[in-house]
Amino acid sequence: MGMIESLQTTNLDTIQKDCLKYLKFSADALHQNVNYFLDTSKFECGMLELFMKPFSLYELADRLVHTYQYAVVDKEVEMALDYNVRDSVRNFIGDDFRIRQIIANLLSNAVKYTDAGTITTHIGSEILSCGSHLVRVSVVDTGKGIPEPALVKLFDAFTQFDGDARRKFSGTGLGLYLCKKLSKLMEGDVSVESNVGQGSTFSFTVKLAPYSGEEMLEATVRNDARGNEGIVSEDAVSNESLHQRMYRILIVEDN
């Protein structure tokens, strides 16, 4: 995949550019499918972990919406973000990678099935008695919609309601299944409403604590394969009970 991207920066003729475009599309699809299978396997054996740290939910969602704007440049589709979180909180403590994964999957599906109109990401929250926020993210599209009989099993593994889309987009039917598992791991859930010919609304909730700006250690939460309940690792303790430790870390990322 790295060589494909490097090759795209060289002098190429039109035929070569087209070949590379489809090669990159196929590589990206395979990469995504491998990640889906790995995450599913990790979850089913209780090894999928959440890494809790402060992050900006607004910036995460805003970047995703702008990223997928490029995916609809050839369509008559407008992307929009409606951020309306209680108390205007933008920073939370949670696993931003997994939350990004859920939103990206919902946006990707919306782009696949929407040829005209709008795709709007709504983000709101309600404050719970414990002080945390139950954050709700909804992706609303004006696409083809989903027949009611297909909604029942939509979040099951290896399920896709549209066979033509599966062939066109190389899907596995694991994206929404993982969205449901991840949201439940973060003490939330997923739901869908759809009308054929009018569009769909995919929503998920997660429980997040607002970030106060105080320094914290990253916490790790692992799912329990027996009951899918989050288990906080013994390393996830507050700074009050640990001396501050400094680490120097080198990360090598080839993709």
Side-chain angles (χ1 to χ4, degrees):
M1 294 173 69
M3 290 298 100
I4 291 173
E5 293 184 0
S6 296
L7 194 55
Q8 286 179 318
T9 65
T10 62
N11 294 324
L12 303 168
D13 60 36
T14 302
I15 297 177
Q16 291 171 330
K17 289 179 180 179
D18 286 341
C19 290
L20 271 181
K21 180 178 69 175
Y22 289 111
L23 184 59
K24 186 178 188 303
F25 176 85
S26 298
D28 289 341
L30 179 59
H31 185 221
Q32 183 184 60
N33 291 345
V34 170
N35 285 337
Y36 281 159
F37 282 118
L38 289 175
D39 283 344
T40 300
S41 298
K42 287 179 183 178
F43 199 96
E44 291 178 349
C45 65
M47 296 296 291
L48 193 147
E49 295 179 334
L50 298 178
F51 296 97
M52 317 299 284
K53 63 179 181 180
F55 73 99
S56 170
L57 179 60
Y58 174 80
E59 289 183 7
L60 183 154
D62 186 57
R63 288 176 182 174
L64 277 174
V65 169
H66 277 85
T67 297
Y68 278 91
Q69 182 69 57
Y70 292 101
V72 296
V73 291
D74 295 328
K75 300 181 178 183
E76 297 179 358
V77 175
E78 180 181 350
M79 305 287 293
L81 172 63
D82 172 31
Y83 190 87
N84 189 27
V85 171
R86 291 284 296 273
D87 295 340
S88 300
V89 176
R90 294 197 176 192
N91 296 325
F92 290 93
I93 298 173
D95 190 324
D96 60 331
F97 175 79
R98 295 301 180 181
I99 293 173
R100 180 186 291 108
Q101 187 176 7
I102 299 175
I103 298 176
N105 190 280
L106 299 186
L107 285 173
S108 176
N109 285 341
V111 168
K112 290 177 185 177
Y113 299 112
T114 306
D115 293 324
T118 59
I119 298 174
T120 305
T121 302
H122 298 275
I123 301 180
S125 72
E126 62 177 287
I127 301 177
L128 305 175
S129 58
C130 61
S132 293
H133 286 234
L134 185 65
V135 175
R136 175 178 295 275
V137 180
S138 299
V139 176
V140 183
D141 66 62
T142 57
K144 62 189 300 183
I146 304 170
E148 187 173 350
L151 296 178
V152 179
K153 297 183 177 181
L154 200 58
F155 294 99
D156 293 346
F158 304 107
T159 298
Q160 287 184 304
F161 82 94
D162 190 330
D164 290 337
R166 180 173 62 249
R167 289 186 290 271
K168 182 178 180 181
F169 297 108
S170 305
T172 61
L174 287 175
L176 292 177
Y177 170 78
L178 282 172
C179 287
K180 181 175 182 178
K181 294 297 185 182
L182 288 171
S183 63
K184 284 186 173 294
L185 186 55
M186 291 182 275
E187 301 183 68
D189 206 349
V190 295
S191 62
V192 57
E193 298 177 1
S194 187
N195 292 302
V196 175
Q198 298 182 26
S200 305
T201 299
F202 282 86
S203 303
F204 74 93
T205 56
V206 292
K207 184 178 177 182
L208 298 174
Y211 178 53
S212 62
E214 298 176 0
E215 186 178 0
M216 63 165 284
L217 294 178
E218 291 186 9
T220 302
V221 179
R222 175 176 294 180
N223 70 296
D224 181 355
R226 295 165 296 179
N228 295 336
E229 301 243 345
I231 299 177
V232 180
S233 72
E234 294 180 357
D235 293 332
V237 293
S238 67
N239 279 335
E240 295 178 355
S241 60
L242 280 181
H243 294 294
Q244 184 176 4
R245 293 178 291 183
M246 299 294 292
Y247 296 93
R248 294 174 64 87
I249 301 174
L250 171 65
I251 299 177
V252 180
E253 172 65 69
D254 72 338
N255 188 14

